[in-house]
């Protein structure tokens, strides 16, 4: 079993903000698996499907970003999963807008959702699908920037990056993070 977690904030006011790109990807992964978000457990919405022989749970924590790890840690313990079974999808200020990159481990980059996951999982060594949102304009608070909405003119780029991130998460589940990382990051470099 694999657990794919999209990080975001619950509520309509946060929909389609930069910080909620993880939720957009989780929705796309669930759709690709034909799995509705029909279960509420661990203060999260859950969808369950299959990717080939692999059982896949898709999670959207409903605890707000800074406490996302509570739901993730509880789910890993309940299903007795390890960090190698975990894929977390999140926005990343350090990547240029709409770039998708897969990595295993690393720092939190100031991302409070990742800080929370690290604390509740007890490790940093899990797969991360990072979706770039770029840096805020000069003099703008990064918190205000990530909580800002994507511009309508960016809709096509948002959709394309969500699709690439969905593919990256699916490859993590099907091939394992190390092999998936090779494919995802090589494709990104080739597209540049």
């Amino acid at each position: 079993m694999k657990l794919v977690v999209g990080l975001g904030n619950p509520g309509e006011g946060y929909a389609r903000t930069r910080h909620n790109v993880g939720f957009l990807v989780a929705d796309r992964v669930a759709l690709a698996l034909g799995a509705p978000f029909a279960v509420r457990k661990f203060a999260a919405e859950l969808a369950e499907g299959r990717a080939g022989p692999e059982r896949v749970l898709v999670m959207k924590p409903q605890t707000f970003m800074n406490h996302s790890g509570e739901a993730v840690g509880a789910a890993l313990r309940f299903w007795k999963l390890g960090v190698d079974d975990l894929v977390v999808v999140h926005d990343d200020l350090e990547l240029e807008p709409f770039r998708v990159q897969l990595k295993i481990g690393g720092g939190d980059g100031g991302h409070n959702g990742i800080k929370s996951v690290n604390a509740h999982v007890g490790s940093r060594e899990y797969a991360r699908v990072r979706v770039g949102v770029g840096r805020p304009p000069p003099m703008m608070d990064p918190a205000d920037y990530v909580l800002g909405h994507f511009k309508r003119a960016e809709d096509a780029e948002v959709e394309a990056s969500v699709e690439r991130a969905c593919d990256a998460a699916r490859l993590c589940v099907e091939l394992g993070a190390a092999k998936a990382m090779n494919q995802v990051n090589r494709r990104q470099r080739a597209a540049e």
Side-chain angles (χ1 to χ4, degrees):
M1 182 191 310
K2 301 292 183 189
L3 178 63
V4 177
V5 180
L7 298 184
N9 287 307
E12 279 303 308
Y14 295 104
R16 294 191 67 78
T17 60
R18 293 177 186 90
H19 221 22
N20 268 37
V21 75
F23 275 14
L24 294 175
V25 176
D27 288 340
R28 186 69 55 89
V29 171
L31 182 66
L33 296 173
F37 283 94
V39 176
R40 191 161 172 101
K41 191 172 187 149
F42 314 117
E45 292 180 358
L46 289 165
E48 182 179 338
R50 293 192 100 61
E54 191 74 61
R55 183 176 169 206
V56 182
L57 295 167
V58 183
M59 172 185 273
K60 295 192 297 185
Q62 300 296 295
T63 53
F64 287 94
M65 186 65 80
N66 295 2
H67 300 284
S68 299
E70 295 169 13
V72 178
L76 290 180
R77 287 187 297 277
F78 181 81
W79 280 296
K80 297 177 176 53
L81 301 174
V83 291
D84 53 329
D85 300 312
L86 176 62
V87 180
V88 176
V89 184
H90 64 93
D91 60 295
D92 196 310
L93 287 167
E94 299 306 319
L95 290 178
E96 58 268 17
F98 315 114
R99 181 184 173 100
V100 174
Q101 189 174 58
L102 178 58
K103 72 183 249 183
I104 302 167
D108 56 51
H111 194 291
N112 289 329
I114 293 296
K115 286 179 187 175
S116 178
V117 172
N118 291 347
H120 288 274
V121 168
S123 174
R124 297 175 175 200
E125 298 306 309
Y126 52 87
R128 301 177 196 178
V129 178
R130 303 162 61 210
V131 181
V133 295
R135 299 293 305 166
M139 308 303 289
M140 184 178 196
D141 182 346
D144 292 337
Y145 177 72
V146 296
L147 292 174
H149 291 82
F150 289 109
K151 296 175 184 141
R152 284 285 166 213
E154 297 173 322
D155 281 354
E157 291 172 295
V158 171
E159 283 303 307
S161 65
V162 166
E163 190 62 38
R164 287 194 307 274
C166 174
D167 288 345
R170 181 186 52 78
L171 285 170
C172 267
V173 166
E174 293 175 0
L175 304 177
K179 286 183 182 174
M181 192 165 58
N182 241 354
Q183 285 192 30
V184 170
N185 296 344
R186 187 173 55 231
R187 282 183 200 159
Q188 180 68 50
R189 283 190 298 272
E192 294 170 350

